[in-house]
Amino acid sequence: MSQFWKPGAEKPRLLDDEEGGVVFLSSSLSSASSIGYGYASIEKQRQRLPVYKYRTAILYLVETHATTIIVGETGSGKTTQIPQYLKEAGWADGGRVIACTQPRRLAVQAVASRVAEEMGVKVGEEVGYTIRFEDFTNKDLTAIKFLTDGVLLREMMDDPLLTKYSVIMVDEAHERSISTDILLGLLKKIQRCRSDLRLIISSATIEAKSMSAFFHARKGRRGLEGVELVPRLEPAILSVEGRGFNVQIHYVEEPVSDYVQAAVSTVLLIHDKEPPGDILVFLTGQDDIDATIQLLTEEARTSKKNSSGLIILPLYSGLSRAEQEQVFSPTPRGKRKVVISTNIAETSLTLEGIVYVVDSGFSKQRFYNPISDIENLVVAPISKASARQRAGRAGRVRPGKCYRLYTEEYFVKEIPAEGIPEMQRSNLVSCVIQLKALGIDNILGFDWPASPPPEAMIRALEVLYSLGVLDDDAKLTSPTGFQVAEIPLEPMISKMILSSNELGCSEEIITISAVLSIQSIWVSGRGAQKELDEAKLRFAAAEGDHVTFLNIYKGFLQSCKSSHWCHKNFINYHAMKKVIEIREQLRRIAQRIGIVMKSCESDMQVSLLTLLLVCLERISTLYDFPKLMGTCMPSAGCSFVYHVTCSPVLCVCTGRFTDQ
Ligand code: ADP
Ligand code: MG
């Protein structure tokens, strides 16, 4: 491994020297904040949060302005406190609901359980949450609802003006997820019809001025000369003063070739040399997090240095409730917690007690090439803004240190200042169909916070046309287009479900679709790659992964949904339970739109044919069909399907990377 700095020894840098801007420098080294939060009553903890001082100001601005933009350092209490202030002030009276959106599912769940705990209620009653395929709300009781921005978009299909909500808080707006951007454009439209609706746009680092300009530039309601409208249309901007402490930045001296190994060594060095305090490591996804945990556990066991007392925990979406709770629970005395996380801990979730941050410099990001029509989730360098946020996580409870696994030169010269909005680097098929289903026909003329690239837009229209979802006038076809829009899956998969009806294999296709909508059904990170590979072979089908999924599902049912069976076969029991739940929901939706549930029994080719059908419909329209037939159809039947399954075309079709 390349040469490393020695934590604690050589020239550290303060975060605020790096670009001349003042960031995170402590303005209030209050003694209260360095006392462990675990000991104070919940009410006291709430009052200590930076937003508490702004409670009255926030309520006043929300009352008097249609849109309020709130910028505040991560951990200042925006997400957990503001919805509670609004409820206390009566915004949920009369059966109205306060909504708070998040780009990430895990954040929705974690924040809802925190707020429920603070309010002393059960999740699913006064405080509820909804993510795709998981609804913990109560129609009569829920006053504060956390949900993903994608779910709120879907709710608009049934209730275009979102009438049950009094305030909608679009949180983490700086992430500029594709759904957040669509939502912002649509909410701006809704505001024209609903003067009673209030919006809060909140975030850690948002460009408040440009967001304000976006919401201010509008046609519509105007008052008489000199008469002030209530609410005022010009957005209010409120900046919540942060409470970060100094963070020393350390860089590697030479570029590292393997950030997993580098992260492990750095954690062990910190543990060996530095005083107590928890460590937060930023990696990219479940695979490298699991690999790091495995390596760290091994090295900690065999290392001569004192590595006892480390509690090593993962943080990524898909963790069970119990695993999430471990991450948030206070570290026992004499121990040091190491949380290995995706960029979810960058701004969405705050962990108390973090003093050291290890930043790999990478995250998983979606990239789309409209020419080849291939979307990938790739490990890519983060922006300077992200790196700064990550470092800031070390300074929440006291001065901290951030170890960057890249050189200073790389930071200064190579990485971009800001990330690119997801809208500008994604496949827009789902986005287009959603807007069409909401009756927005002029998609190119839609009021976007960031315009999508025209090539991607055209490609999305082409794909939807070839799937029979749009007609010659680019309007949703009836019934196919509307049915596809109603199924909460990628349009390609939804179309596959519709096609399965004609081929009599809807049972199988719905199972495959359910498995494709979760991240992975395999257990990873148990350290036995060989056994895992063997387990995979037991279910493997020559026809490809999709039939393998069917085999696993059947095996799980035959085992009477046994966790022991899952464990033996390296299958994630919680994931399988989720598959059963999602499958049931998809079955209900499918039946609602008139699909007859039918199994093709063992005639696997029929179900594969459906997959293929969807695929070919696209291929025949978009690609040189005869040429593909030549390369992909050496013989009829399974091998044909298999080849197509392996081609990039279906990789796009199956689009497994929608959730992070
Ligand atoms: P912001 O949205 O401004 O980043 P939050 O409202 O998420 O801040 O967090 C405010 C405080 O609540 C933080 O100090 C954090 O430690 C605490 N907190 C948030 N979620 C949890 C949780 N699930 N468990 C324990 N504490 C939490
Ligand atoms: Mg937040």
Side-chain angles (χ1 to χ4, degrees):
M1 204 183 69
S2 59
Q3 201 184 0
F4 244 9
W5 71 87
K6 293 183 192 59
E10 68 304 29
K11 59 154 195 167
R13 295 185 131 255
L14 289 187
L15 243 193
D16 55 331
D17 325 326
E18 66 188 16
E19 285 127 357
V22 178
V23 204
F24 305 134
L25 247 188
S26 163
S27 53
S28 55
L29 274 157
S30 76
S31 56
S33 53
S34 47
I35 298 170
Y37 270 32
Y39 305 106
S41 76
I42 283 210
E43 205 41 48
K44 284 240 169 61
Q45 288 180 36
R46 290 190 61 197
Q47 290 174 9
R48 277 182 196 154
L49 290 170
V51 285
Y52 183 70
K53 273 200 289 185
Y54 297 85
R55 185 180 185 281
T56 318
I58 292 170
L59 291 176
Y60 171 76
L61 292 177
V62 172
E63 181 74 43
T64 50
H65 291 73
T67 309
T68 306
I69 297 168
I70 300 180
V71 189
E73 185 52 55
T74 302
S76 52
K78 301 179 299 298
T79 315
T80 54
Q81 304 308 304
I82 295 173
Q84 294 188 69
Y85 299 161
L86 294 168
K87 174 164 186 300
E88 289 153 10
W91 283 96
D93 294 353
R96 296 177 302 167
V97 180
I98 298 155
C100 176
T101 71
Q102 299 285 318
R104 297 157 196 279
R105 296 158 57 91
L106 179 60
V108 170
Q109 293 170 308
V111 168
S113 47
R114 173 66 181 176
V115 173
E117 187 192 337
E118 289 187 8
M119 288 172 54
V121 297
K122 277 218 306 249
V123 177
E125 296 181 353
E126 279 96 326
V127 178
Y129 77 83
T130 313
I131 55 183
R132 192 173 62 146
F133 299 125
E134 207 170 308
D135 182 15
F136 274 87
T137 56
N138 178 314
K139 196 160 66 21
D140 302 317
L141 286 179
T142 303
I144 299 179
K145 174 165 162 186
F146 292 92
L147 68 178
T148 51
D149 34 25
V151 166
L152 190 60
L153 279 180
R154 265 204 175 265
E155 287 190 2
M156 269 186 219
M157 290 192 192
D158 292 329
D159 178 10
L161 293 180
L162 296 172
T163 46
K164 69 175 179 221
Y165 298 109
S166 55
V167 185
I168 297 174
M169 171 162 162
V170 181
D171 202 7
E172 301 289 325
H174 73 281
E175 285 224 6
R176 302 300 298 276
S177 79
I178 195 162
S179 299
T180 302
D181 271 10
I182 304 175
L183 195 59
L184 291 173
L186 289 167
L187 288 173
K188 186 175 162 183
K189 270 179 179 289
I190 293 179
Q191 272 186 328
R192 280 190 215 144
C193 314
R194 281 193 58 197
S195 58
D196 61 322
L197 176 71
R198 297 293 187 275
L199 297 184
I200 298 178
I201 316 290
S202 54
S203 159
T205 57
I206 200 166
E207 264 289 328
K209 288 233 172 66
S210 60
M211 193 53 79
S212 166
F214 173 72
F215 274 95
H216 197 36
R218 65 168 89 207
K219 308 177 203 101
R221 245 168 34 104
R222 275 190 211 288
L224 292 171
E225 207 60 48
V227 177
E228 283 242 318
L229 281 176
V230 173
R232 292 177 54 187
L233 299 182
E234 184 185 352
I237 300 180
L238 178 81
S239 173
V240 175
E241 176 198 330
R243 194 180 44 193
F245 294 84
N246 288 350
V247 176
Q248 293 178 349
I249 305 287
H250 301 263
Y251 293 93
V252 287
E253 288 164 3
E254 297 290 329
V256 302
S257 56
D258 175 355
Y259 62 71
V260 167
Q261 179 63 56
V264 168
S265 320
T266 310
V267 168
L268 291 174
L269 264 172
I270 296 171
H271 187 52
D272 193 37
K273 298 263 186 303
E274 296 285 339
D278 294 342
I279 307 174
L280 174 61
V281 183
F282 283 102
L283 291 179
T284 70
Q286 181 171 353
D287 38 1
D288 61 11
I289 292 175
D290 287 338
T292 306
I293 291 183
Q294 200 179 322
L295 196 63
L296 188 56
T297 314
E298 269 164 32
E299 294 213 359
R301 200 176 334 115
T302 53
S303 128
K304 285 189 211 74
K305 294 170 198 148
N306 175 23
S307 301
S308 59
L310 279 183
I311 303 174
I312 306 165
L313 301 169
L315 182 59
Y316 45 72
S317 99
L319 291 182
S320 67
R321 191 66 69 77
E323 286 170 310
Q324 288 176 33
E325 273 165 19
Q326 270 189 314
V327 170
F328 287 105
S329 62
T331 312
R333 198 178 283 273
K335 300 267 182 192
R336 192 198 295 270
K337 195 152 71 180
V338 185
V339 178
I340 321 245
S341 173
T342 59
N343 61 351
I344 186 148
E346 194 175 293
T347 59
S348 305
L349 296 176
T350 313
L351 306 177
E352 285 303 321
I354 300 294
V355 180
Y356 308 98
V357 162
V358 179
D359 174 13
S360 66
F362 291 98
S363 67
K364 275 205 176 144
Q365 297 166 32
R366 248 199 262 201
F367 284 95
Y368 174 63
N369 178 344
I371 309 293
S372 60
D373 191 23
I374 293 177
E375 183 174 65
N376 280 323
L377 195 65
V378 295
V379 171
I382 56 169
S383 65
K384 286 197 175 72
S386 283
R388 227 177 287 128
Q389 278 297 328
R390 288 180 173 190
R393 300 304 103 243
R396 248 193 73 67
V397 284
R398 61 167 204 249
K401 295 182 181 180
C402 171
Y403 299 93
R404 290 182 172 161
L405 302 177
Y406 38 92
T407 63
E408 185 169 8
E409 191 186 0
Y410 172 80
F411 175 81
V412 174
K413 294 199 183 142
E414 305 279 334
I415 67 176
E418 301 284 341
I420 306 167
E422 198 178 36
M423 173 70 76
Q424 296 177 338
R425 50 182 167 83
S426 299
N427 176 338
L428 300 175
V429 169
S430 298
C431 158
V432 169
I433 196 170
Q434 278 190 320
L435 289 176
K436 291 277 176 191
L438 290 170
I440 295 174
D441 274 325
N442 180 6
I443 290 189
L444 289 172
F446 184 68
D447 198 357
W448 304 97
S451 301
E455 303 83 30
M457 193 52 90
I458 290 164
R459 183 44 72 110
L461 291 168
E462 270 178 8
V463 168
L464 290 171
Y465 179 74
S466 68
L467 285 173
V469 167
L470 295 181
D471 63 16
D472 290 348
D473 302 322
K475 293 216 166 11
L476 278 190
T477 53
S478 181
T480 308
F482 285 95
Q483 287 171 330
V484 167
E486 184 153 352
I487 304 175
L489 296 171
E490 294 274 313
M492 225 66 72
I493 309 264
S494 307
K495 178 65 195 289
M496 179 170 82
I497 293 178
L498 289 185
S499 307
S500 71
N501 195 30
E502 290 145 37
L503 288 155
C505 56
S506 46
E507 293 277 5
E508 284 78 10
I509 289 297
I510 282 180
T511 305
I512 293 174
S513 307
V515 178
L516 289 175
S517 34
I518 59 163
Q519 277 199 333
S520 172
I521 47 174
W522 299 105
V523 172
S524 55
R526 266 187 19 211
Q529 192 58 40
K530 191 163 155 271
E531 282 89 338
L532 175 63
D533 290 342
E534 278 169 12
K536 284 189 177 174
L537 268 183
R538 277 200 284 283
F539 300 98
E543 295 89 345
D545 281 356
H546 303 104
V547 180
T548 306
F549 295 153
L550 284 178
N551 291 343
I552 293 171
Y553 175 74
K554 276 188 201 145
F556 184 58
L557 291 191
Q558 276 162 9
S559 78
C560 298
K561 304 180 192 167
S562 139
S563 60
H564 177 68
W565 180 88
C566 287
H567 188 81
K568 208 173 66 192
N569 289 301
F570 283 73
I571 287 164
N572 184 333
Y573 174 63
H574 295 287
M576 285 313 291
K577 283 210 330 209
K578 196 82 219 156
V579 166
I580 303 264
E581 256 177 64
I582 295 177
R583 191 183 184 285
E584 183 49 33
Q585 293 191 37
L586 287 178
R587 211 174 56 81
R588 260 184 265 139
I589 297 170
Q591 282 178 327
R592 195 170 66 221
I593 58 179
I595 291 177
V596 181
M597 296 313 294
K598 190 163 182 303
S599 166
C600 60
E601 306 296 338
S602 54
D603 187 4
M604 221 44 96
Q605 287 193 20
V606 177
S607 58
L608 288 167
L609 200 68
T610 312
L611 281 169
L612 186 66
L613 191 96
V614 177
C615 214
L616 287 188
E617 274 184 34
R618 291 196 54 203
I619 295 168
S620 59
T621 326
L622 300 178
Y623 298 87
D624 185 351
F625 186 51
K627 200 165 114 220
L628 261 158
M629 295 276 277
T631 50
C632 292
M633 281 181 104
S635 61
C638 296
S639 59
F640 162 35
V641 178
Y642 183 59
H643 285 293
V644 177
T645 313
C646 292
S647 81
V649 180
L650 195 62
C651 294
V652 181
C653 294
T654 53
R656 300 209 43 205
F657 301 121
T658 49
D659 295 333
Q660 265 194 28

